[in-house]
Amino acid sequence: MINFEEELKHFQPSGEIEDAESEIYEHDITDMTDIMQQMMSELKRK
Amino acid sequence: MECYNCGVILGQEQVCPNCGAQLRIYRRFVGISNYLYNQALGKAKVRDLTGAIADLRLSLQYNKVNTNARNLLGLIYYETGEGVAAVREWLISKGYQAQENRASFYLERTKKDPTEKERINQQARKYNQALVYCRQDSLDLAVIQLKKILSGSPKMVKGWQLLALIYIHDGNLDAAGKALRKAEAIDVGNPVTARYLKEAAKQASESGGKKAKKAQAVAYQNGNDVIIQPKLRGDVNFWSMAANLLVGVAIGVAITWYMVVPGVRKQAVSDASVAVTEANNTIADKNQAIKSLEEQIDALTGDVESAKNNVENKDAAIDASEALLVAYDAYINEDIEAAGDALEGINEKLLSKNAKKIIKTLREQVNQRYLRQAYDAGMAAYNSGRNDEAALQLAKVVSMDEQYENGNALYNLAQAYRKLENWEKAHECYSRVAELFPNTSLAYNANRYAAQIGSMLEQ
């Protein structure tokens, strides 16, 4: 049985086009290569 | 493929020829990213957009600069009515690859197209308003708002899902099913749509079971035959007919009172709700228009201010050019003092490039002659006791070159001020002589006078 109020919480408000640029900064775009480079630099430091 | 470390274009090397970075693992990541992109492309073609989004996100976690994957992710977001997320992905994509990138085309058609941008923003605003209505338990208004959004943006999956959720909540399972099938047609693999469909089907089968039970109450089996007969059946005579008629009329009146009248009332309320929503939307649109007009006014005011400043700058530039002509005319007529005076008042910054060259040459030629004339005139006046004139001429020289004639101009200016009993200026000039020409006889005398005047000023 679906609980309407609970389900409604999953629906988040939409942003406007102007928010797209600010969203980029909040968006984590780290990839595996970044993680690999970070690990290698940590290993070198040790 | 580019080296992740230095960005140099690579061939089949396992080690970067430019920076020496190991490429084996990096190549593996790029390969996995491309594989996931291909998987996503296949899923997108059969409209499993949720599955495609999951693969593309994973693909970008392996290689964030996979432009094709990021552009496709943006395209899928756009297809499902997520305009902001789409623009975000295309902007990131363009950040990584500015040239020959399809994201530029997408951004031209969305972010930079005022009509499309306004459509996306309106859609977001109306959807947010529908969510507010839901949270305020004004579900009728929310349904109206969502229908309006979906008529303009029929591919907004979350809009169809929210509409279906409201319908399920209200028990309107047919309408919920229709909304969910629309959502499913856009994205077949969406788990929320699937869950709601399952719930709607479950509720429909439960209500279907109850109806069937009712139907069985008037049906009975005789041997192999199923006999269905009306519940109320008996002998019919005049009185019973009249009674039935009266009961029928009473039932009719009751139905009218309890069912038709509330329906009419509900319709009236619904019409009023539609009117309220329309009014709210109109107000929101008007507010937006007012905001946009205010922005235009601000921009135009800024333009007017800048035009005014331009005109003022142009006037000042014309004045400076005229002063340059006056200086040049005086120079031609050998009136060096007038030429020097005119040159002194010109703000070079306001002149054109060519005029700047002219004034530079003219200044060099005029300055020497001007300084000489002013110095000679100043010294002649000083020697004949006309200290006012001497101070005036020598001050002109010092203002252009403090060290003129090895400091004699400055020293004699100090002397003229002293004789005029202008003690503060005299002290200032003597101190400057001592500072600029230390260990000279001028400095020795200047220091002596400065000390005398200084102690006098202190008293």
Side-chain angles (χ1 to χ4, degrees):
Chain A
M1 183 77 185
I2 290 174
N3 182 329
F4 181 71
E5 277 76 22
E6 280 301 312
E7 200 62 33
L8 207 54
K9 288 177 189 167
H10 297 300
F11 288 85
Q12 296 301 318
S14 286
E16 295 189 18
I17 291 282
E18 288 76 11
D19 305 328
E21 280 172 39
S22 59
E23 271 195 20
I24 293 172
Y25 301 106
E26 294 158 18
H27 203 66
D28 183 16
I29 42 179
T30 309
D31 68 356
M32 295 292 274
T33 310
D34 293 329
I35 294 168
M36 185 182 75
Q37 278 184 300
Q38 203 181 331
M39 285 168 70
M40 280 162 68
S41 66
E42 276 174 18
L43 277 172
K44 275 181 190 169
R45 246 185 285 145
K46 282 177 186 172
Chain B
M1 194 172 93
E2 288 176 6
C3 172
Y4 65 90
N5 195 35
C6 66
V8 77
I9 305 289
L10 298 167
Q12 297 298 316
E13 302 91 342
Q14 292 296 319
V15 176
C16 176
N18 185 44
C19 66
Q22 291 292 329
L23 301 170
R24 199 171 57 82
I25 298 171
Y26 177 59
R27 279 185 187 285
R28 180 104 192 179
F29 288 159
V30 172
I32 295 170
S33 175
N34 289 341
Y35 169 77
L36 287 164
Y37 164 71
N38 290 334
Q39 290 280 315
L41 198 57
K43 286 181 182 174
K45 281 177 183 167
V46 294
R47 287 215 153 260
D48 177 8
L49 302 186
T50 302
I53 288 173
D55 284 348
L56 289 169
R57 280 185 173 162
L58 198 55
S59 167
L60 291 167
Q61 280 177 4
Y62 275 100
N63 180 17
K64 65 183 174 185
V65 294
N66 189 339
T67 307
N68 284 335
R70 202 172 285 283
N71 289 350
L72 180 60
L73 181 60
L75 199 61
I76 292 172
Y77 279 138
Y78 187 71
E79 176 67 8
T80 53
E82 302 283 350
V84 178
V87 169
R88 181 192 66 211
E89 294 304 331
W90 292 330
L91 283 171
I92 296 173
S93 168
K94 213 174 164 213
Y96 284 126
Q97 187 186 323
Q99 303 297 321
E100 293 178 16
N101 187 344
R102 188 74 179 158
S104 307
F105 170 78
Y106 298 140
L107 288 170
E108 285 289 332
R109 297 293 170 97
T110 50
K111 190 170 180 276
K112 291 176 187 167
D113 178 2
T115 314
E116 181 59 6
K117 185 177 159 188
E118 186 54 26
R119 188 193 67 79
I120 294 170
N121 285 344
Q122 281 283 0
Q123 173 194 298
R125 281 194 280 269
K126 285 179 180 171
Y127 175 76
N128 294 343
Q129 185 59 48
L131 274 181
V132 170
Y133 285 144
C134 285
R135 285 174 185 143
Q136 291 170 344
D137 211 21
S138 306
L139 298 182
D140 287 349
L141 293 179
V143 168
I144 293 164
Q145 188 79 317
L146 284 167
K147 280 183 177 172
K148 194 172 276 182
I149 300 166
L150 293 165
S151 68
S153 307
K155 291 190 171 174
M156 192 185 194
V157 173
K158 64 182 178 185
W160 288 116
Q161 288 171 340
L162 183 58
L163 187 62
L165 180 66
I166 297 169
Y167 283 143
I168 292 171
H169 178 68
D170 287 348
N172 191 350
L173 299 173
D174 286 344
K178 275 183 194 167
L180 289 168
R181 276 188 289 280
K182 291 264 175 63
E184 200 179 34
I186 303 158
D187 177 10
V188 290
N190 191 301
V192 176
T193 308
R195 193 153 58 83
Y196 289 177
L197 267 171
K198 199 175 167 188
E199 180 65 27
K202 191 178 148 197
Q203 288 191 18
S205 72
E206 279 172 6
S207 63
K210 281 176 194 167
K211 277 181 191 169
K213 270 187 185 173
K214 272 186 187 173
Q216 278 166 8
V218 293
Y220 64 91
Q221 202 152 354
N222 185 2
N224 290 330
D225 300 327
V226 175
I227 297 166
I228 300 167
Q229 66 177 42
K231 277 182 186 173
L232 299 171
R233 195 175 172 191
D235 295 334
V236 178
N237 58 33
F238 172 77
W239 292 112
S240 66
M241 257 178 75
N244 284 342
L245 198 66
L246 283 172
V247 169
V249 168
I251 288 169
V253 170
I255 285 172
T256 309
W257 184 253
Y258 289 107
M259 295 182 80
V260 179
V261 171
V264 171
R265 278 186 189 155
K266 198 176 174 187
Q267 183 60 40
V269 170
S270 173
D271 289 347
S273 301
V274 172
V276 169
T277 316
E278 290 283 352
N280 282 343
N281 287 338
T282 311
I283 290 166
D285 290 347
K286 296 272 182 211
N287 284 342
Q288 191 60 32
I290 289 166
K291 199 179 160 197
S292 146
L293 287 171
E294 279 175 352
E295 282 169 4
Q296 278 182 28
I297 289 167
D298 287 346
L300 289 172
T301 311
D303 288 349
V304 169
E305 285 295 323
S306 122
K308 266 187 191 170
N309 289 337
N310 278 342
V311 169
E312 280 168 12
N313 285 341
K314 287 249 166 75
D315 287 347
I318 290 167
D319 290 346
S321 300
E322 272 180 12
L324 179 60
L325 285 173
V326 169
Y328 191 71
D329 182 53
Y331 176 72
I332 294 287
N333 292 317
E334 303 238 319
D335 186 354
I336 301 303
E337 192 178 347
D341 288 344
L343 282 174
E344 212 173 332
I346 297 174
N347 182 357
E348 263 187 62
K349 285 177 188 167
L350 297 170
L351 295 173
S352 67
K353 216 180 223 178
N354 288 331
K356 275 180 188 162
K357 278 183 194 166
I358 293 168
I359 199 173
K360 194 182 169 198
T361 316
L362 196 57
R363 266 205 176 127
E364 281 168 7
Q365 290 177 8
V366 166
N367 278 358
Q368 283 313 314
R369 293 178 65 179
Y370 176 76
L371 285 173
R372 173 51 57 192
Q373 275 192 9
Y375 180 73
D376 290 346
M379 287 309 294
Y382 178 72
N383 290 330
S384 58
R386 286 180 287 116
N387 291 314
D388 276 332
E389 176 65 13
L392 184 73
Q393 295 298 336
L394 291 171
K396 281 182 190 172
V397 176
V398 167
S399 72
M400 289 172 74
D401 183 1
E402 270 190 324
Q403 302 189 11
Y404 195 74
E405 281 291 310
N406 298 321
N408 277 308
L410 186 59
Y411 181 79
N412 287 314
L413 177 62
Q415 295 281 69
Y417 281 139
R418 182 173 60 80
K419 289 180 180 175
L420 288 167
E421 297 185 354
N422 187 341
W423 304 115
E424 282 176 357
K425 281 197 171 175
H427 185 264
E428 193 184 313
C429 291
Y430 282 129
S431 305
R432 191 77 184 127
V433 170
E435 191 184 328
L436 290 172
F437 305 97
N439 307 321
T440 59
S441 59
L442 277 184
Y444 175 77
N445 289 334
N447 268 330
R448 211 157 44 85
Y449 281 123
Q452 282 174 12
I453 295 168
S455 63
M456 196 171 74
L457 286 172
E458 276 172 17
Q459 286 168 12

